[in-house]
Amino acid sequence: MPPGGGGPMKDCEYSQISTHSSSPMESPHKKNKIAARRKWEVFPGRNKFFCNGRIMMARQTGVFYLTLILILVTSGLFFAFDCPYLAVKITPAIPVVGGILFFFVMGTLLRTSFSDPGVLPRATPDEAADLERQIDIANGTSSGGYRPPPRTKEVIINGQTVKLKYCFTCKIFRPPRASHCSLCDNCVERFDHHCPWVGNCVGKRNYRFFYMFILSLSFLTVFIFAFVITHVILRSQQTGFLNALKDSPASVLEAVVCFFSVWSIVGLSGFHTYLISSNQTTNEDIKGSWSNKRGKENYNPYSYGNIFTNCCVALCGPISPSLIDRRGYIQPDTPQPAAPSNGITMYGAMQSQSDMAAATPLLQSEPSLTSDEMHLPGKPGLGTPCTSLTLGQPTPPSSMPNLTAEATLSDILPMKDEHGGHQFLTPDEAPSPPRMLGAGSPLTHSRTMHVLGLASQDSLHEDSVRGLVKLSSV
Amino acid sequence: MATEVHNLQELRRSASLATKVFIQRDYSDGTICQFQTKFPPELDSRIERQLFEETVKTLNGFYAEAEKIGGSSYLEGCLACATAYFIFLCMETHYEKVLKKISRYIQEQNEKVFAPRGLLLTDPVERGMRVIEISIYEDRCSSGSSSSGSSSGSGSSSAGGGGAGTR
């Protein structure tokens, strides 16, 4: 039964509509007027993008360059000074194996650093409103007044009760094992940790690259160390120890670098091998989420039961594609996810002619959506020839005036979070509420402000403190 | 004639968006991508329960296939590792292939099943795999389109005109 009663207007002609949002072909004339911007340019998280969105890294990349320099210089010295001697004296296979290891290390390092760790895009305004409505219903409250503390949803996975937390920045309930990285200001799936040495978060999509990187780097470090020592020993058999050192000073430098790196890197590889075989993330291990100390009945619901399967899944399982579509074009008439500081209602002002504009009265109406807001007057905007209207646009907001406020708070956090010099573990949501409290857009729901006020006092704060306590106890 | 297949763009132009329903993820099996098959009350007057559930179950099946762990996925993973992941520059992963299948399926479902009922499914991949967004359209040209104080779908003429589609 056709929805339209009128026959004449509907030719019932089939026209192919792409429901994929990232194709710019649909409205070439529109794009020519506005400079087509890619989604990475307006990405709400604190990331840096290069090569027109192909490369994605965290904001602080200084330590990454240090890592790169250390590896390149040490390997370079090895190939330049030690390999000629060793290739002749022992076997030419040494530089070959060294070369293979080196390329593998560089490849995996770059892959880890440049890829999307599994960032979850922020909720669109409609989704966020729908969730908030459901939260209200679940709490039995209607609008206004003080909002009860932010909630957690409980889910039973394989017999274990897992709490899903609500992320105030991204306005979603985080999937299990996801966590919000305060350094990058993104929710990341299967969040492991934020690694400054690779300049990126380590999450679902790049964990195997990270593991391959540290594993191959351990081999490379041990390899270089062993052969540098061999080189010096062989030389000193001919010319004496001190002369040997004088003849190849580079070897000394390499030996020192390798000696100090080998402990930490091999240790880290061992630790991650343990994590992979038990299918845990660093985050979970540090918090002791699945340890027996929490209770006899506590076990890891994600583990497949045996080490072999866990390893295979972590290293050779399917890789999900990036959800954030960095290189897609922003559709001019699309809903964009809520900015954390400005709240959902900012979009009421920004959307003028879009199909989704029809939804904004829904967002701004405080009482439940089933009231008389359902009838929408025919908006003039809808009559526009939006032939290009595509469905589904998870585009980030176009401007982030709140960035300056965010930066100050996040700068404090890394100081507290530093652990072992190798990994940054971030408490889940501590930075978000204070940031959003500073926003104060007059259109914002008053209840949003109250939420945040209570949130920062309640479980969020408690969680972040708990996270920090756990960190320090390890 | 072909009354089941509609021009979706015309639908959008002639209809106004009434509301959206979000089908959330079902995490009871872990982190694999599955959506809840619970029938949302807002769709009660719009689509048959069985059709809806079938669509969601098929989607769940596709996602399970994409994330399936088995011989072929291991092979792909090992091959990729052996080529230092350069192979992904030429070849698309199994997951991506299944995602393309899913988007074709959703398009087909939209055209055949949902658009005639004034509904539109959004591919979950465009929503970060968090929700299946179903847009409910209220048809402006139908005579029966009026404000229905109750739930979303106001009287679409598929209900036969006349009274609003109250439940």
Side-chain angles (χ1 to χ4, degrees), chain A residues 133-411:
Chain A
R133 195 168 45 93
Q134 284 180 16
I135 290 170
D136 274 349
I137 292 171
N139 274 7
T141 58
S142 53
S143 63
Y146 283 104
R147 209 178 183 183
R151 64 261 336 112
T152 52
K153 258 202 272 192
E154 289 202 349
V155 164
I156 305 212
I157 300 177
N158 270 342
Q160 281 284 322
T161 309
V162 177
K163 279 192 183 166
L164 305 184
K165 292 191 187 153
Y166 182 75
C167 180
F168 277 91
T169 315
C170 306
K171 298 210 189 309
I172 56 172
F173 273 101
R174 285 190 216 119
R177 311 190 98 176
S179 192
H180 190 92
C181 175
S182 56
L183 291 166
C184 302
D185 201 25
N186 291 318
C187 270
V188 177
E189 278 190 284
R190 202 188 182 280
F191 180 73
D192 195 84
H193 65 284
H194 181 100
C195 186
W197 299 91
V198 303
N200 205 356
C201 288
V202 177
K204 180 168 106 165
R205 294 187 74 246
N206 65 354
Y207 185 58
R208 71 192 64 192
F209 307 131
F210 175 75
Y211 180 73
M212 288 287 141
F213 165 61
I214 56 176
L215 196 65
S216 52
L217 188 61
S218 332
F219 285 129
L220 183 67
T221 318
V222 169
F223 184 85
I224 291 182
F225 191 60
F227 282 106
V228 159
I229 301 288
T230 310
H231 177 206
V232 170
I233 289 177
L234 286 177
R235 265 197 203 262
S236 54
Q237 279 174 353
Q238 291 174 336
T239 62
F241 184 66
L242 285 173
N243 283 336
L245 291 182
K246 256 195 295 180
D247 287 338
S248 71
S251 306
V252 179
L253 176 65
E254 292 164 47
V256 166
V257 169
C258 288
F259 179 76
F260 287 112
S261 323
V262 85
W263 305 109
S264 41
I265 294 180
V266 171
L268 198 61
S269 309
F271 176 60
H272 278 279
T273 308
Y274 157 71
L275 287 182
I276 284 185
S277 60
S278 60
N279 201 334
Q280 288 187 82
T281 63
T282 306
N283 213 11
E284 287 166 355
D285 186 70
I286 298 273
K287 286 186 184 166
S289 308
W290 312 121
S291 86
N292 286 333
K293 294 181 200 144
R294 282 212 184 184
K296 280 268 154 63
E297 293 305 313
N298 207 28
Y299 59 89
N300 184 0
Y302 309 110
S303 172
Y304 290 89
N306 69 74
I307 293 178
F308 182 67
T309 316
N310 284 338
C311 290
C312 284
V313 170
L315 301 177
C316 305
I319 303 185
S320 52
S322 173
L323 294 173
I324 53 177
D325 190 26
R326 310 187 283 281
R327 287 176 43 79
Y329 286 101
I330 304 170
Q331 306 294 324
D333 51 354
T334 56
Q336 294 167 6
S341 68
N342 298 323
I344 309 169
T345 54
M346 185 174 171
Y347 281 95
M350 280 162 56
Q351 293 171 357
S352 51
Q353 32 170 343
S354 82
D355 225 11
M356 309 308 171
T360 52
L362 301 174
L363 300 176
Q364 288 169 351
S365 66
E366 286 259 345
S368 73
L369 291 169
T370 54
S371 67
D372 36 277
E373 279 294 277
M374 294 317 295
H375 170 59
L376 302 166
K379 291 198 174 298
L382 289 170
T384 58
C386 295
T387 53
S388 66
L389 194 60
T390 54
L391 294 170
Q393 302 80 16
T395 50
S398 59
S399 71
M400 299 295 292
N402 57 333
L403 276 175
T404 49
E406 290 174 17
T408 51
L409 201 58
S410 63
D411 286 340

Side-chain angles (χ1 to χ4, degrees), chain A residues 69-79 224 253-255 257-258:
Chain A
I69 288 170
L70 275 175
I71 297 177
L72 286 172
V73 166
T74 312
S75 308
L77 288 176
F78 178 72
F79 289 121
I224 291 182
L253 176 65
E254 292 164 47
V257 169
C258 288

Side-chain angles (χ1 to χ4, degrees), chain B residues 111-142:
Chain B
E111 283 150 11
K112 293 200 186 130
V113 177
F114 288 91
R117 292 167 171 79
L119 302 170
L120 216 54
L121 237 56
T122 305
D123 196 337
V125 85
E126 292 166 15
R127 292 286 181 266
M129 306 283 260
R130 283 189 305 266
V131 287
I132 303 177
E133 184 181 300
I134 304 181
S135 310
I136 303 178
Y137 285 89
E138 180 190 308
D139 202 358
R140 266 194 282 166
C141 4
S142 80

